[in-house]
Each structure stands twice: as structure tokens, then as C-alpha cells.
């Protein structure tokens, strides 16, 4: 019928396709299959509108590998093409994308920026094939079938052919350097990745030569084909939420992650058609502190075609910790990540998802608070992360974000403010909230706080220091203090002054003696006249420095703070009996030892005595026992 040149000016298009798209060449399969899906869905639509008289039958796409012929074939029984349509859509239109691609990137050597920037659609077949054939027959009754061949250069042939059934077969003669794509396992892997939820059934078969029938030249090869439907054309997220039960969501979760055993805590079914089209199901996984965070669990689909499972920069970061599926017609296919990240529709979708997640959490909280509380410790990391990285989410989270105290009671921030307001306000009118990061290690401090009637929060997630900083900036006259940040009487300073047992001069004399007995670089000595029955020595870690260090370690805060050495305050209770004894001790050596032992005991009570210091301390304790 026709020979001709593909309508492209740059003759070197094919080498460029191979070179620049090389690292991503497996996407050719997604491209061809999504064309087949398009062709099937288009026919469905035409038929529904009465614009096609074709008998729809069972629409289906078939992928076949023929190892012997070294071909991979994608067949559909969709709307097919007439020769004129092949000429138009394959030779001219489809290639204009490729042409644009070449023009734009002719002189650029940065292939990373180029890869995936332009979807080459049909022509991506040439990344893996040395020759591509199209056999196609239009759904329009009188159209003749067409056969198009191209060997990876601008020349093509287009002839009339015989084809029994409506639809299109794309036959790829796999290039010698791409024979992986003739392997069943490889194709199966790609089909599972890209096609698992395509809306048209996908059959996969391998043709193998099993025997010959007949003799000599008349012998016929008998090929057997093993077929499997590999996709679920109607995955849960395409159904209406009211038609699904809890168990359906769980089984969908297992379908998505066949290798995960842990069950999700709850799900959010997204179902929006205005102002944009968005469906999907998100799952909240159980997240434990110190768990490896996985950010590539959510899969992004466009009309059931897999786009990516790397959503970093596409949705708010905290949402990438969720699991599940997001599907939207408005998500562009065939574009690079940077394009996806800056796409306006994608941005809107992303902030909408964040809102939906907040709404759902609020709903769960309101519906069954006890149940929500029981899940809180497993979800708080994601929510706290969200509050820190997404301002709107922070505001919305005020309704459901919880704070747990050491008694195991949960409060919203407003509730907790109201609960502690009166007692926790210091003499300057500042509301101080007390917290511990580790109730075991900070036991003695918690006890001191509770003895005064104070309440102590248990805040142990890794982002706490950032979160507190944020809460402090958005709540005037309110601050957080970890129980070990200072002596409790200092943390929430009230008006009452303790009488001092030692005179000002005595304290002046004692301070340098104590400073001389402890490691100077590690301790700042702080003389305090506390209750006489209070411990003589207390180790505290100043809130500001510690928090800066923590923030620096988890990203943010002041740069370089993470490298600061451990620094403590050594609070010396000048009203205690031991300190009086030290004051009155005339033997300088003995005095030194009393101070060192006292400091070590204080360190030990907080699990801060380690290594050599601990060994020496225990040793000397034992020798004293045997000396007595
Ligand atoms: P796109 O899919 O973005 O339009 P492609 O390069 O993938 O670009 O395909 C170009 C055109 O070729 C399609 O728009 C369609 O008209 C036609 N086409 C490709 N594959 C098929 C097919 N299997 N059946 C019918 N038409 C097809
Ligand atoms: Mg396409």
C-alpha cells in the first residue's frame, strides 16, 4: 500500500530513544498496554453511545512471548485502526512528541534530566525492539486490516493485510541486548508492577514449542500457551465505600502488599469527583518508634494505570508514610518526577488528601475516643510529623492530636491546658507543662513533680522537641520543661522562698570546692537552697540546650548542635545534711571523695553513669563494703 518516511526531521531519533531512555526502558510495556487499554475503553464508550456497531464481546488484552521467534506481542480487541489512522496516529501525531523531544535535548548531555521527560508512548517500543509490527483492524465494518512495519529507522512500510478479528496486535522483535524481555519471570514482574489493577483483563501466556506434528517439510509446530489473568480489573478503590465491608479493605490491603503480614490500623476511602477526580484507599500502618520508615508504599495510579510508588515531593511528606492507593484522571502520565511535583493538579490533589486524612482522623476520634486512644501510640508519629510539616494539618489536628500523661490518660491540647492551668502557672504567670521522655530513667524527677501535685506528660516520640517548639510558638505564655531540666522548684517557680541553712559566705566558699571536685567540662555547678529532705545532688539537663541538640539530630534546629558534648547542671542542695557535712570536712581528700560519690549517685539515679566511671564507682563501693 505505502512505503514512506516517518514524519520526523531528526534522523537520529531512534538512537536517541535507545540512549536516553535506556535506564527506564521497561516502561515500554506499560505504554503499549495502556494504549491497548485505551483502545478497549474507547470502543466501550463508542458502543455505549451507539457510535460503534461492533459486537463488544469480552474485551481483553493478551501479552504473549514467543521465545523461538524472539517476539513479544501485545494484542487487544479494542477499536483497532484503519490504514489511514495508522498513518495519522502512528506516523505523524505520535511522532511529533518524539520530534519535540529530540529538538529540545539535541545538545544536552544530562541524560538524567531527559529520561522520562517526554513520554514517547508507542515509540518507546524501540527501546527494546529492533523491529516493530502492527497488525490492526478497525471496528468499522468495511475497513481493511493494515500491517505496519518499522525497523528502528525513519522508514516504514504500510500494507493491507488479512486479520480475522477486530483490534490490534503490536509485535515486538526483541533486540539482542534486551532478551530479558523474552523471559517469563521478567514480564510477569513488570505486569505485576504496572498492570495489577488495569480495568481490562490482562492475559499473559508463553508460547513454547512442545512437539512437531507430521513429517519433513509438512511438519507443523504445536505450540502450547499457558495463560493467566494477571490483574484485578475492579480493585476495591473503584467501588463505592458503602458497598465494602471492613474485611474487603483488609483483603485489598493483602492484595496490594502480599508480603506484608501486619494489618493496617484503619483505612480512609477517598472518593471525590469535584473539583477534581480522585479516588483511592489509604491505610494507616502501625508505626513503632525506631522502625524503618518506608516511604514507597503508596502507589499512584492514573485511571488504574500505575504511575509511581515514589511520592516524595508529590504529596506532603508525612502522607508518604501511609500505605495504599491514590488514583486520579488528573495525574499526568509519562512525565518526570519534577514535572509531577510542580503540576498544579497534583498540588491540589495533595492538599486535598491532607484535608481528607485530617477529617477522617477527627471522625474516628469523635466516633470512638477509647478506640482512637488505643491506636494513638501507633499512629502518633505520622500525625506529629504531619503537624510539623503541614501548617493546615497542624490546625486541623488540634481536634484529635493527643497527649498522654504518665498515668496513661489521654488529652487533647486544649483539655490538657485546662487541666493544668492553675497549678502549673509560675509566679511570672507562665504556664509550664512538664514532660518526661522516659518514665523509667527520670523516675526520681517525676516523683518530685508528682509530690507537688503536678501532672507529667509522657512524650517519647522522636519528633517531640520539634513539636514542643511549635506548640510554644503558637501558644503565648506557655512552655514545656522536661522534668529533669532543673529542680522542680525552679521549673515551676512559685513565690515561697526556702530559708537557707548555709550563709551566703559559706555558699561562696563551697562552690569552687565542688567545682574543683567534678569534671569541669561536663558540669555546671548550681547552688540551691532546696528542702532539707531533698537529695543533696541532682543532675539536670537544661531544656534549651538539650532540645536544640535533639532537634539538630532529627533534622532542623540549629546546625551543628548535635555535635555538642553532654553537658549537665549539678544542682547542689545547700540545705541537705550531706552538703553541711562536706562544708565542715577539714580533710580536703575526703571532701573531694564525698563530692565525687554524691555526684556519681546522682548520675546513677538517672541511668547516666556508664563505662569506666560506672565500673570505678561500683568497685569503690564494694571495697568500702569490705573495709567496714
Ligand atoms: P498516546 O497514547 O499518548 O496518544 P501513543 O504514542 O502511545 O500516544 O499512541 C499514539 C496513538 O496511536 C494513540 O493515540 C492511538 O490513536 C494509536 N494507538 C496506539 N496503540 C493503539 C492500539 N493498541 N489500538 C488503537 N490505537 C492505538
Ligand atoms: Mg499511549
Amino acid at each position: 500500500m505505502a512505503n514512506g518516511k516517518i514524519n520526523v526531521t531528526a534522523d537520529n531519533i531512534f538512537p536517541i530513544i535507545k540512549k536516553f531512555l535506556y535506564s527506564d526502558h521497561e516502561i515500554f510495556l506499560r505504554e503499549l498496554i495502556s494504549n491497548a487499554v485505551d483502545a478497549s475503553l474507547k470502543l466501550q464508550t463508542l458502543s455505549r453511545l451507539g457510535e460503534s456497531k461492533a459486537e463488544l464481546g469480552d474485551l481483553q488484552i493478551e501479552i504473549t512471548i514467543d521465545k523461538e521467534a524472539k517476539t513479544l506481542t501485545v494484542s487487544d480487541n479494542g477499536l483497532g485502526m484503519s490504514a489511514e489512522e495508522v498513518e495519522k496516529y502512528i506516523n505523524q501525531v505520535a511522532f511529533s512528541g518524539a520530534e519535540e523531544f529530540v529538538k529540545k535535548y539535541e545538545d544536552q548531555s544530562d541524560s538524567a534530566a531527559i529520561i522520562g521527560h517526554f513520554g514517547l508512548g508507542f515509540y518507546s517500543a524501540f527501546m527494546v525492539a529492533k523491529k516493530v509490527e502492527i497488525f490492526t483492524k478497525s471496528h468499522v465494518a468495511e475497513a481493511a486490516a493494515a500491517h505496519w512495519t518499522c525497523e528502528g529507522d525513519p522508514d516504514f512500510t504500510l500494507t493491507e493485510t488479512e486479520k480475522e478479528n477486530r483490534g490490534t496486535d503490536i509485535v515486538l522483535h526483541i533486540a539482542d541486548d534486551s532478551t530479558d524481555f523474552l523471559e517469563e519471570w521478567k514480564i510477569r514482574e513488570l505486569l505485576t508492577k504496572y498492570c495489577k489493577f488495569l480495568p481490562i483483563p490482562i492475559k499473559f501466556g508463553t508460547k513454547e514449542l512442545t512437539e512437531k506434528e507430521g513429517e519433513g517439510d509438512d511438519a507443523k509446530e504445536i505450540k502450547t500457551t499457558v495463560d493467566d489473568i494477571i490483574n484485578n480489573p475492579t480493585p476495591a478503590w473503584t467501588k463505592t465505600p458503602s458497598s465494602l465491608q471492613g474485611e474487603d479493605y483488609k483483603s485489598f490491603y493483602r492484595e496490594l502488599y502480599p508480603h506484608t503480614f501486619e494489618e493496617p490500623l484503619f483505612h480512609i476511602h477517598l472518593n471525590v469527583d469535584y473539583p477534581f477526580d480522585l479516588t483511592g484507599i489509604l491505610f494507616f500502618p502501625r508505626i513503632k518508634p525506631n522502625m524503618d520508615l518506608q516511604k514507597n508504599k503508596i502507589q499512584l495510579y492514573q485511571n488504574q494505570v500505575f504511575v509511581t510508588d515514589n511520592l516524595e515531593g508529590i504529596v506532603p511528606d508525612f502522607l508518604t508514610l501511609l500505605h495504599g492507593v491514590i488514583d486520579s484522571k488528573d495525574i499526568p502520565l509519562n512525565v518526570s518526577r519534577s514535572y509531577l511535583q510542580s503540576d498544579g493538579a497534583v498540588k491540589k490533589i495533595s492538599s486535598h488528601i491532607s484535608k481528607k486524612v485530617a477529617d477522617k482522623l477527627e471522625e474516628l476520634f469523635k466516633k470512638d475516643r477509647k478506640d482512637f486512644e488505643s491506636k494513638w501510640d501507633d499512629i502518633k508519629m505520622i500525625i506529629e510529623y504531619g503537624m510539623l510539616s503541614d501548617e493546615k494539618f497542624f490546625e486541623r489536628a488540634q481536634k484529635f492530636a493527643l497527649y498522654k500523661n504518665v498515668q496513661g490518660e489521654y488529652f487533647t491540647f486544649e483539655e490538657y491546658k485546662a487541666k493544668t492551668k492553675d497549678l502549673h502557672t509560675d509566679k511570672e504567670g507562665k504556664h509550664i507543662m512538664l514532660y518526661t521522655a522516659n518514665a523509667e530513667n527520670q523516675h526520681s524527677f517525676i516523683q518530685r513533680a508528682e509530690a507537688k501535685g503536678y501532672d507529667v506528660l509522657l512524650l517519647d516520640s522522636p519528633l517531640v522537641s520539634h513539636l514542643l517548639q511549635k506548640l510554644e510558638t503558637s501558644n503565648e505564655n506557655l512552655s514545656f520543661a522536661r522534668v529533669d531540666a532543673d529542680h522542680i522548684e525552679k521549673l515551676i517557680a512559685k513565690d515561697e522562698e526556702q530559708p537557707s541553712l548555709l550563709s551566703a559566705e559559706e555558699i561562696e566558699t563551697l562552690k569552687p570546692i565542688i567545682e574543683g571536685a567534678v569534671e569541669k567540662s561536663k558540669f555546671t555547678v548550681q547552688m540551691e537552697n532546696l528542702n532539707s529532705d531533698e537529695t543533696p545532688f541532682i543532675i539536670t539537663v537544661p531544656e534549651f540546650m538539650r532540645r536544640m541538640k535533639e532537634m539538630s539530630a532529627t533534622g532542623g534546629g540549629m546546625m551543628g548542635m548535635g555535635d555538642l558534648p553532654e553537658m549537665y547542671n549539678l544542682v547542689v542542695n545547700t540545705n541537705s545534711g550531706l552538703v553541711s557535712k562536706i562544708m565542715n570536712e577539714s580533710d580536703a581528700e575526703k571532701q573531694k571523695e564525698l563530692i565525687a560519690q554524691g555526684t556519681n549517685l546522682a548520675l546513677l539515679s538517672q541511668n547516666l553513669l556508664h563505662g569506666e566511671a560506672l565500673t570505678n564507682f561500683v568497685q569503690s563501693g564494694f571495697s568500702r563494703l569490705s573495709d567496714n
Side-chain angles (χ1 to χ4, degrees):
M1 216 154 45
N3 287 345
K5 272 197 183 294
I6 289 166
N7 182 23
V8 63
T9 45
D11 270 0
N12 57 348
I13 180 71
F14 289 103
I16 287 175
I17 290 175
K18 275 207 97 136
K19 186 176 159 206
F20 286 134
L21 294 176
Y22 199 73
S23 72
D24 222 10
H25 60 350
E26 64 179 40
I27 58 113
F28 83 92
L29 193 61
R30 180 187 76 180
E31 294 301 329
L32 297 183
I33 294 178
S34 67
N35 283 349
V37 169
D38 288 348
S40 311
L41 295 177
K42 276 181 204 158
L43 185 63
Q44 223 168 35
T45 310
L46 288 178
S47 157
R48 197 180 49 236
L49 299 174
E51 284 173 27
S52 173
K53 290 178 189 66
E55 203 40 63
L56 269 188
D58 289 331
L59 290 173
Q60 172 174 295
I61 293 160
E62 203 171 336
I63 323 296
T64 354
I65 327 182
D66 187 332
K67 279 195 127 163
E68 226 192 329
K70 294 193 178 157
T71 59
L72 181 135
T73 304
V74 178
S75 310
D76 65 69
N77 53 359
L79 88 176
M81 286 179 277
S82 64
E84 293 69 38
E85 286 166 329
V86 173
E87 172 71 42
K88 184 167 160 201
Y89 297 128
I90 299 294
N91 292 344
Q92 289 163 21
V93 179
F95 220 54
S96 63
E99 198 183 340
E100 191 185 336
F101 169 84
V102 174
K103 282 210 182 105
K104 188 145 185 185
Y105 290 108
E106 240 167 0
D107 341 299
Q108 289 199 19
S109 53
D110 177 11
S111 57
I114 297 167
I115 289 168
H117 198 99
F118 278 92
L120 291 176
F122 168 75
Y123 279 92
S124 62
F126 287 97
M127 293 192 289
V128 301
K130 54 186 178 213
K131 173 176 165 186
V132 177
E133 294 180 90
I134 303 175
F135 297 90
T136 182
K137 186 173 174 180
S138 166
H139 65 112
V140 178
E142 59 275 15
H147 176 207
W148 179 92
T149 320
C150 177
E151 304 205 9
D153 51 41
D155 300 310
F156 71 91
T157 63
L158 181 59
T159 57
E160 201 169 293
T161 190
E162 288 298 313
K163 187 175 186 299
E164 205 178 323
N165 302 315
R166 169 201 78 215
T168 305
D169 300 336
I170 309 282
V171 182
L172 271 55
H173 297 263
I174 298 296
D176 297 337
D177 61 2
S178 300
T179 49
D180 254 15
F181 296 108
L182 293 170
E183 298 297 337
E184 191 195 325
W185 64 266
K186 180 72 187 172
I187 297 303
R188 203 170 280 280
E189 179 189 299
L190 296 180
L191 291 176
T192 323
K193 178 167 171 190
Y194 291 115
C195 308
K196 208 165 159 183
F197 299 115
L198 284 177
I200 303 289
I202 315 274
K203 236 175 165 185
F204 176 47
T206 322
K207 278 206 169 101
E208 272 166 48
L209 176 64
T210 45
E211 54 186 314
K212 285 198 173 186
E213 202 180 70
E215 302 276 312
D217 287 349
D218 295 334
K220 271 196 216 145
E221 291 173 356
I222 303 294
K223 288 183 178 179
T224 47
T225 312
V226 204
D227 281 331
D228 274 331
I229 298 285
I230 59 102
N231 60 327
N232 172 3
T234 50
W237 83 83
T238 62
K239 299 176 181 165
T240 53
S242 60
S243 70
L244 299 169
Q245 308 291 322
E247 195 40 56
D248 299 319
Y249 288 102
K250 283 184 187 155
S251 66
F252 175 58
Y253 188 81
R254 286 190 291 271
E255 192 181 344
L256 264 183
Y257 311 112
H259 307 295
T260 304
F261 298 105
E262 195 69 82
E263 288 209 332
L265 289 165
F266 50 82
H267 66 266
I268 299 173
H269 196 141
L270 302 162
N271 204 340
V272 186
D273 44 36
Y274 183 83
F276 43 79
D277 162 273
L278 173 70
T279 54
I281 298 174
L282 296 177
F283 295 96
F284 260 77
R286 204 178 283 278
I287 291 196
K288 300 277 183 213
N290 307 326
M291 191 165 111
D292 253 354
L293 295 178
Q294 289 223 305
K295 288 191 166 186
N296 56 352
K297 285 286 199 175
I298 298 190
Q299 302 175 359
L300 188 65
Y301 287 80
Q302 185 235 48
N303 259 344
Q304 296 175 242
V305 179
F306 177 84
V307 179
T308 180
D309 59 5
N310 179 354
L311 275 87
E312 270 190 272
I314 296 173
V315 300
D317 215 27
F318 77 102
L319 292 177
T320 63
L321 300 175
L322 300 183
H323 297 174
V325 164
I326 295 169
D327 190 342
S328 175
K329 284 193 195 80
D330 301 318
I331 287 167
L333 199 61
N334 280 334
V335 294
S336 65
R337 298 192 52 67
S338 57
Y339 185 87
L340 268 185
Q341 287 167 4
S342 58
D343 185 70
V346 174
K347 281 215 174 98
K348 270 193 214 129
I349 288 170
S350 148
S351 66
H352 189 79
I353 294 170
S354 169
K355 177 179 182 317
K356 282 281 159 194
V357 170
D359 289 350
K360 176 72 177 192
L361 289 166
E362 188 186 341
E363 180 197 314
L364 289 169
F365 171 74
K366 285 197 173 139
K367 210 164 76 188
D368 188 347
R369 177 162 177 161
K370 274 278 153 282
D371 181 62
F372 189 79
E373 287 179 357
S374 74
K375 288 172 175 152
W376 178 254
D377 289 331
D378 290 321
I379 61 174
K380 66 180 175 191
M381 257 175 55
I382 296 181
I383 295 175
E384 287 168 358
Y385 190 19
M387 291 167 74
L388 287 168
S389 55
D390 181 339
E391 189 55 39
K392 280 238 171 75
F393 189 80
F394 177 80
E395 283 159 29
R396 294 183 180 120
Q398 296 310 312
K399 297 213 183 78
F400 55 77
L402 294 178
Y403 301 83
K404 179 167 78 167
N405 68 10
V406 289
Q407 265 78 44
E409 304 166 304
Y410 292 86
F411 306 89
T412 64
F413 197 63
E414 284 308 315
E415 288 167 352
Y416 196 69
K417 244 175 30 189
K419 176 184 166 71
T420 55
K421 177 106 191 76
D422 293 337
L423 194 59
H424 285 238
T425 300
D426 72 6
K427 61 181 178 192
E428 254 111 52
K430 197 158 181 131
H431 187 168
I432 315 283
M433 290 185 178
L434 300 171
Y435 70 103
T436 174
N438 187 324
E440 291 282 302
N441 288 353
Q442 291 158 5
H443 178 262
S444 60
F445 289 96
I446 295 170
Q447 215 173 34
R448 277 186 204 111
E450 286 179 341
K452 291 204 159 275
Y454 294 134
D455 197 83
V456 178
L457 290 172
L458 175 62
L459 303 177
D460 55 3
S461 56
L463 295 171
V464 150
S465 41
H466 297 268
L467 183 62
L468 300 187
Q469 204 81 358
K470 180 136 185 65
L471 288 166
E472 285 172 354
T473 13
S474 43
N475 287 276
E476 224 182 304
N477 242 353
L478 184 143
S479 67
F480 287 87
R482 204 166 87 174
V483 280
D484 64 341
D486 204 337
H487 188 271
I488 190 67
E489 280 163 27
K490 289 273 167 165
L491 286 181
I492 305 181
K494 302 279 181 170
D495 257 333
E496 54 226 48
E497 261 293 306
Q498 280 289 335
S500 181
L501 220 71
L502 300 189
S503 69
E505 293 87 63
E506 284 174 310
I507 293 175
E508 279 304 298
T509 331
L510 188 56
K511 196 176 180 201
I513 297 176
I514 293 176
E515 283 169 339
V518 296
E519 222 179 299
K520 234 196 157 73
S521 59
K522 212 165 160 184
F523 298 101
T524 308
V525 175
Q526 180 186 332
M527 310 295 276
E528 300 288 349
N529 46 332
L530 306 171
N531 236 323
S532 58
D533 53 10
E534 179 57 274
T535 341
F537 292 94
I538 304 164
I539 305 288
T540 63
V541 192
E543 182 75 17
F544 178 76
M545 289 296 269
R546 197 208 72 246
R547 217 193 277 179
M548 284 300 150
K549 249 175 95 105
E550 282 171 5
M551 285 169 71
S552 179
T554 46
M558 272 185 237
M559 289 290 289
M561 290 293 256
D563 304 328
L564 286 177
E566 282 310 327
M567 291 271 282
Y568 304 113
N569 280 355
L570 178 61
V571 178
V572 179
N573 180 5
T574 55
N575 287 344
S576 68
L578 178 64
V579 173
S580 294
K581 185 177 169 187
I582 292 170
M583 181 75 218
N584 299 324
E585 178 59 64
S586 50
D587 181 339
E589 272 313 303
K590 265 209 174 130
Q591 200 177 33
K592 242 186 166 154
E593 202 197 316
L594 286 174
I595 297 168
Q597 293 284 13
T599 310
N600 281 336
L601 278 170
L603 284 167
L604 194 66
S605 83
Q606 274 175 267
N607 200 14
L608 288 171
L609 197 62
H610 301 293
E612 199 185 345
L614 178 60
T615 311
N616 292 343
F617 178 73
V618 172
Q619 289 273 333
S620 71
F622 278 132
S623 10
R624 227 168 310 127
L625 279 180
S626 51
D627 287 351
N628 282 343

